[in-house]
Amino acid sequence: MILSKFGEKMTQKSGILQLMDDLGNALQSDKPINMLGGGNPAVIPAANRIFQQVFQSLGDGFLHSAGNYSTPQGDKAFLLALADFLNRHYDWNISEKNIALTNGSQNAFFCLFNLFSGRYSDGSSKNILLPLAPEYVGYADVHTEGNYFVAGKPGIELLDYTTAAGEVVDGFFKYHVDFATLPIDDSIGAICCSRPTNPTGNVLTDAEMAKLARLASDNNIPLIVDNAYGMPFPSIIFGDATLTWDSNTIMCLSLSKIGLPGLRTGIVVANEAVIQALSSLNAIVNLAPTRLGAAIAAPLLQDDRMKTLAEEHIRPFYRQKVDYAIRLLKEAFADIPLKIHHPEGAIFLWLWFPELPITTFELYQQLKSAGTIILPGEYFFPGTDNLAAYRHAHECIRMSYAQSDETLQKGIAQMAEFVRRAYA
Amino acid sequence: MILSKFGEKMTQKSGILQLMDDLGNALQSDKPINMLGGGNPAVIPAANRIFQQVFQSLGDGFLHSAGNYSTPQGDKAFLLALADFLNRHYDWNISEKNIALTNGSQNAFFCLFNLFSGRYSDGSSKNILLPLAPEYVGYADVHTEGNYFVAGKPGIELLDYTTAAGEVVDGFFKYHVDFATLPIDDSIGAICCSRPTNPTGNVLTDAEMAKLARLASDNNIPLIVDNAYGMPFPSIIFGDATLTWDSNTIMCLSLSKIGLPGLRTGIVVANEAVIQALSSLNAIVNLAPTRLGAAIAAPLLQDDRMKTLAEEHIRPFYRQKVDYAIRLLKEAFADIPLKIHHPEGAIFLWLWFPELPITTFELYQQLKSAGTIILPGEYFFPGTDNLAAYRHAHECIRMSYAQSDETLQKGIAQMAEFVRRAYA
């Protein structure tokens, strides 16, 4: 089968694709698997009750949504409900013209990164600046040709963590943007960060966000914020943080992490020119975005159930879960030099094994054979120069904590066993 | 806002995008509109009853589908059900490894055309051969850069049409592939046709399909068949036609025209290498395809309700509708030189006004102002050389007949009024 250059790039078995094959194969094996590798949100009964309720109450509304294309911009009733919701709670003064839907967040980033980086008609090329790597693995391959990322290496602060119950635990660290070394010039087409960050659970501080916003605006480029885990839904964010938006910010939200990943609903809030560009892309790539997620979410936005669902059910669930996982980790790794990224949000823990004698890619392979899936750190550094020599990247792993207590127990125990052996 | 070359191409206001803006604006105006322009399927009560039934009976199955990502290839239960269904009815001897889901057909064609045409790593470039233009307007803009289509001009046969009631009506024509002039050499990356054809309702004959399949296989390139309106669902196809597939055929199906366009479910049946390439692309562009369409269709495939729905409700509905629209057209255009493409399937009628003194783009603009939306022929000729000089393209229009009787009456009356004036 002879493929175009685009086809060759999109099907090369490197990075994320190799990983997804591995995961798929592991899941199809007969052995029981401790799956700490994926990004699926947890099953939260209170959330499911609400979704089932809305779903059942849709009635003929289901037929309307299923039976008609929306415009390429997305389901109008949802756009209106979300604009109202955001104005009500954040006073952003936006209209439905500031919002477009995509078939999930990944699709939004495929569109945005190809719109704001790559080759330009003046002969230049521009990159997406990721001010703080590690960043989301799914970004890495989205360019239709080439790779247009540059990433800043993080500063590392050592600190304690205070659990929801008020217990102070040591052995944590937090990444910060190293503004002094950020490469910003006219070769940058946009700045992008996930907040809370997948894979680390880091939440960039309000001060960092303000600096990034200024940097973007000073350079006349957009700031893209991947808010898939943030406020106002799913609000898997544990500390104080402010959500800000202005017309130079492209804010990406999602219905996936409130519990509806199968409905593939990504949301972009941006100025009207960006929304029009996304609508055009939607028309060409998708004709129109899928509607059922929008149909289920709209009533939850209208009466603010979405907010209470997030704040009273989803956030507490994950806060309890992350504290449980941390307790297991601290017990299992008591004699092993583990540091954990300060858990501030998202559904992952980012573990650092300083001076680990093997790479975490080797650790990942060993654990996969043994029956536990985690993700090696190296996949989370798109745009980082000379990654092979950047030891820190190879000393970290991402694990999902959105799993059953039993899976966490078994997976963490097995992880500790192999990490201990590697250090021995 | 400075966009990449990709961004400039995808947002330029030409062709389909201009058209969609026009349609959107027309729909938002206060005037009543006779909408004969869109591609939305009709509301068919018998179909809706079945969808509502399955939807309600999903119960916790809804939460499973909504609450979990599928693999990038698509919902496993659906893939298995469809492979069984196709083997049962067509004996294709395929497995679930021969099927991938996409977020609607448009998304499948975005993927397929960019995989099988464009620039190649050996420095060459290849085109998609559309053996018979007019072809679907949605193909035109999908390449991530450039435009890689070549199209054959059709042969025209004049013939009568026999209605479902057995009445023979004259004034019809049918397009045929002009194999003698088809440009096929190693600059062609794939052959593609829609069957039934959007916009004409043409169904390429079994003999034409066999010739195209041989041409593709002789040239070691795939034959892509856009079967969105064909068998086994929605089966909006009125004559005798055989559905064939082999490992060199990429068969694209859809849940849109059975009545679920809002759920964005495209289906590709192909050899395993193609399916793997599509899965990779899905991972990068969409993470995973949306699941609810698959969840609703799977039980309908398992017990063959999908087939009876299509054959006993959907096909008869459109057959009755197309005969009604033809009767209206013949009455309204009795004194006007109208020829109608022989209606063999799909939800459109393709009207030809021989020697029309104005272009149908002008007619389209006049009708839009007056309150009737149809689509001018020129948009349906991607890849046709020197289109401006190809008079036939500018003498045709596409109208949807999947509308209420009242909309058809008013729209056709207004169309006749303006066409009569143009000829006067």
Side-chain angles (χ1 to χ4, degrees), chain B residues 309-388:
Chain B
L309 168 65
E311 292 173 2
E312 293 173 16
H313 297 288
I314 294 175
R315 182 196 288 160
F317 174 92
Y318 284 105
R319 184 68 203 266
Q320 178 275 326
K321 204 70 166 171
V322 79
D323 283 354
Y324 179 71
I326 285 170
R327 185 149 58 80
L328 292 178
L329 283 164
K330 294 305 261 183
E331 287 167 10
F333 286 79
D335 58 332
I336 307 171
L338 161 70
K339 291 198 184 304
I340 306 173
H341 192 284
H342 197 248
E344 300 171 337
I347 65 176
F348 308 104
L349 284 168
W350 180 254
L351 311 184
W352 174 23
F353 308 112
E355 315 274 325
L356 187 72
I358 62 173
T359 66
T360 45
F361 186 79
E362 290 172 85
L363 178 65
Y364 151 73
Q365 289 179 310
Q366 292 174 7
L367 281 169
K368 190 174 60 164
S369 306
T372 294
I373 308 277
I374 50 89
L375 297 197
E378 63 185 73
Y379 287 120
F380 297 91
F381 290 84
T384 295
D385 266 355
N386 199 3
L387 182 59

Side-chain angles (χ1 to χ4, degrees), chain A residues 218-230:
Chain A
D218 287 351
N219 286 274
N220 199 24
I221 55 177
L223 172 63
I224 303 171
V225 182
D226 184 348
N227 191 37
Y229 295 93

Side-chain angles (χ1 to χ4, degrees), chain A residues 112-120 124-130 143 145-151 183-192 221-222 224 383 385, chain B residues 4:
Chain A
L112 290 169
F113 288 171
N114 281 299
L115 286 173
F116 290 107
S117 62
R119 297 187 191 183
Y120 283 67
S124 70
S125 62
K126 293 187 195 294
N127 294 307
I128 299 293
L129 171 62
L130 306 171
H143 286 102
E145 57 83 32
N147 279 293
Y148 298 94
F149 290 107
V150 290
I184 179 107
D185 55 30
D186 63 6
S187 74
I188 302 296
I191 301 175
C192 175
I221 55 177
I224 303 171
D385 265 356
Chain B
S4 67

